[in-house]
Amino acid sequence: MILKTFGWSFAITVAGLALAGVLWGWQGLAIVGILSILEISLSFDNAVINAGILRKMNAFWQKIFLTVGILIAVFGMRVVFPVVIVAITAKLGPIEAVNLAINDKAQYEELVTSAHPAIAAFGGVFLLMIFLDFIFEERDYKWLSWIEKPMAKLGKLDTLSVIITLVVLMVSAMTVATDAAHGAGDKSATVLLSGVAGLITYLVVAGISGYFEDKLEDEDEESEEPAAAPAKKGNGAVVGLAGKAAFFMFLYLEVIDASFSFDGVISAFAITNDIFEMALGLGIGAMYIRSLTVYLVRKGTLDDYVYLEHGAHYAIGALAVILLVTIKYEIPEVITGLVGVALIGLSFASSVIRNRREGKPGESSGAQSEVASGV
C-alpha cells in the first residue's frame, strides 16, 4: 500500500535530488532537500483537508487530482504564481518578469516579498472562511466540545462567518494603515481589496460546488433505482461525486491548495531566491502531500480517526490567523509548521483514545479502500 501510493513521490524525490546535485552541486542538493521538508511540514494539515474532500469524488476525479492537480500545484503555484505576482507588482510583462527572476534574483525576491500583504490577506481570509464554516456547523462528532457546542449554536446565523471574516479583515487593514514607521500605510487598501477578493473566491467556488453536491444528493434520493445511489460512509458523506459536482469540488480543492501554498512560497525565499531550486524543492514536497492525501483516502483514516478533520481545521484557523498577522509582523516558519503538526497530532491521539474506549479500531478502512482502490 505505501509503495503503491508513495511510489511516484519516492521516484521524483530521487530524480529531483539527483538533478539538483548535477545542476547546482552539493549546496543546491541540500537547498532542494530542505525546501522539500519545509513544504511537507507546512502542508501536512493540507493533506488532511484534501482527503476530506477527495473521498467524496469518484476514482476518475481522484486521478485528475493526482495528475492535472499536481501540475497546477507544482508548475502553477511554485513557478507561475511568484512570476505573476512580480509582473503585477512591478507592472512588468510576463517575459520581463521571467528575465528578472532569472537575471536579477535579489530584486525578484524583493518584489515578491513586497507583495506579501496582498497574498496574506487573500489566503488568510479564504482559510479563515473554511475554518469558520467548519466550526459553526453542527457535527455528529465533537472534539473540543466546550468550543464546538456553543459555536454550532451560533452557526445558525447563516452570515455569521462572513461578518466575522469582514471584521477581521477590517482590523487587519486598519492595523497596516497605522504602521507608518514601516511605510506600510499605503497598503491598507491593497490588504482590504485582496481580502475581499479572497472572500468572494471562497463564496463563489464553495457555493457552486456545494450547490452541485446537494443537487446530486437530491437526485439520488429521488431516483427509483437503488443502484444509482452513491456509496455512503458511516458518517453519511457521499462518495463518488462526478460531473459538474466533482468539477467544482476539484476547483475548490485547487483553491484550498493554492491558499496553503502561499506561506510555503514566501517562506522559501528565506532559503533561496532561485526560482528553479524553489520550484524543484517545493514541487517534491507537494508530491508527498498529494500521495499522503490519497493514502488517507484509501485507508479510510478520516473515518477511523474521527477527530483528524477537526485538528486539521483548527490548524487551518491557526494558519489563517498567522497569515493575517504576518501582514505586519514577521513570524518564524517553524512556528507555522509546528502549530499545524501539533494540532493534528493531538486530534489523532484523541481519536485513538476514543477508539480504544469504544472498541472501534479500524471500523471503516476496508469499505473506504474498496471505494478508492481505483486510484
Side-chain angles (χ1 to χ4, degrees), residues 144 222 289 360:
L144 305 178
E222 295 173 1
I289 297 303
K360 298 180 180 179

Side-chain angles (χ1 to χ4, degrees), residues 171-365:
V171 171
S172 300
M174 291 171 63
T175 301
V176 172
T178 61
D179 193 17
H182 295 82
D186 59 341
K187 292 186 177 181
S188 58
T190 300
V191 169
L192 195 59
L193 183 62
S194 299
V196 171
L199 178 60
I200 292 173
T201 302
Y202 174 84
L203 293 175
V204 170
V205 178
I208 293 176
S209 61
Y211 167 77
F212 282 109
E213 184 180 359
D214 292 341
K215 186 176 180 180
L216 182 63
E217 289 187 38
D218 293 339
E219 290 176 355
D220 287 324
E221 289 176 359
E222 295 173 1
S223 175
E224 295 180 358
E225 299 179 10
K232 294 280 185 176
K233 292 178 176 297
N235 62 1
V238 179
V239 182
L241 289 182
K244 293 180 181 178
F247 173 71
F248 283 104
M249 194 68 74
F250 171 76
L251 292 182
Y252 181 50
L253 257 178
E254 291 306 313
V255 176
I256 290 176
D257 184 74
S259 298
F260 273 98
S261 302
F262 292 152
D263 60 330
V265 172
I266 297 300
S267 300
F269 281 103
I271 300 172
T272 181
N273 54 14
D274 188 306
I275 61 171
F276 300 109
E277 290 180 347
M278 190 181 303
L280 185 57
L282 296 180
I284 291 173
M287 278 295 302
Y288 279 95
I289 297 303
R290 283 298 197 278
S291 296
L292 180 59
T293 297
V294 173
Y295 180 80
L296 293 174
V297 173
R298 287 178 172 177
K299 295 290 288 183
T301 305
L302 300 185
D303 290 325
D304 295 338
Y305 303 97
V306 296
Y307 299 138
L308 267 181
E309 277 192 282
H310 294 72
H313 279 87
Y314 280 107
I316 279 182
L319 178 57
V321 172
I322 288 172
L323 279 173
L324 293 172
V325 169
T326 57
I327 292 174
K328 181 175 180 180
Y329 302 101
E330 184 176 348
I331 296 179
E333 293 79 17
V334 65
I335 294 179
T336 305
L338 288 178
V339 167
V341 172
L343 286 168
I344 292 177
L346 289 172
S347 64
F348 177 79
S350 298
S351 299
V352 171
I353 294 172
R354 172 190 175 275
N355 288 345
R356 289 178 178 175
R357 184 173 61 246
E358 299 189 6
K360 298 180 180 179
E363 57 187 348
S364 59
S365 297

Side-chain angles (χ1 to χ4, degrees), residues 43-118:
S43 302
F44 185 81
D45 46 356
N46 190 11
V48 179
I49 297 299
N50 287 351
I53 299 172
L54 192 66
R55 62 179 177 170
K56 299 179 181 180
M57 299 181 182
N58 62 15
F60 171 78
W61 281 99
Q62 291 180 357
K63 289 179 182 178
I64 292 295
F65 174 74
L66 288 176
T67 53
V68 177
I70 193 62
L71 289 176
I72 295 174
V74 175
F75 183 74
M77 286 306 302
R78 275 74 180 181
V79 178
V80 176
F81 170 70
V83 174
V84 170
I85 288 298
V86 168
I88 294 174
T89 303
K91 298 180 180 179
L92 300 174
I95 297 178
E96 293 175 288
V98 172
N99 288 333
L100 184 66
I102 296 174
N103 300 317
D104 194 346
K105 298 175 183 177
Q107 186 180 0
Y108 173 78
E109 177 184 352
E110 182 181 347
L111 289 172
V112 173
T113 303
S114 67
H116 176 70

Side-chain angles (χ1 to χ4, degrees), residues 1-174:
M1 170 67 76
I2 292 180
L3 183 59
K4 181 180 179 181
T5 306
F6 289 88
W8 277 106
S9 296
F10 294 152
I12 289 176
T13 300
V14 173
L17 292 177
L19 180 63
V22 171
L23 294 177
W24 306 301
W26 288 105
Q27 182 178 354
L29 188 150
I31 289 174
V32 170
I34 292 171
L35 287 173
S36 302
I37 296 172
L38 172 69
E39 178 69 9
I40 294 171
S41 65
L42 289 175
S43 302
F44 185 81
D45 46 356
N46 190 11
V48 179
I49 297 299
N50 287 351
I53 299 172
L54 192 66
R55 62 179 177 170
K56 299 179 181 180
M57 299 181 182
N58 62 15
F60 171 78
W61 281 99
Q62 291 180 357
K63 289 179 182 178
I64 292 295
F65 174 74
L66 288 176
T67 53
V68 177
I70 193 62
L71 289 176
I72 295 174
V74 175
F75 183 74
M77 286 306 302
R78 275 74 180 181
V79 178
V80 176
F81 170 70
V83 174
V84 170
I85 288 298
V86 168
I88 294 174
T89 303
K91 298 180 180 179
L92 300 174
I95 297 178
E96 293 175 288
V98 172
N99 288 333
L100 184 66
I102 296 174
N103 300 317
D104 194 346
K105 298 175 183 177
Q107 186 180 0
Y108 173 78
E109 177 184 352
E110 182 181 347
L111 289 172
V112 173
T113 303
S114 67
H116 176 70
I119 298 170
F122 183 96
V125 165
F126 188 91
L127 294 177
L128 183 60
M129 282 296 299
I130 294 175
F131 168 71
L132 291 176
D133 278 354
F134 177 87
I135 202 70
F136 285 144
E137 184 178 346
E138 184 65 46
R139 301 189 168 275
D140 295 334
Y141 301 110
K142 293 179 175 60
W143 180 33
L144 305 178
S145 57
W146 55 279
I147 294 177
E148 294 168 19
K149 284 184 178 180
M151 291 297 101
K153 292 180 179 178
L154 289 174
K156 294 179 181 179
L157 298 172
D158 293 337
T159 60
L160 184 59
S161 58
V162 175
I163 293 172
I164 292 176
T165 299
L166 287 174
V167 170
V168 171
L169 177 60
M170 289 174 61
V171 171
S172 300
M174 291 171 63

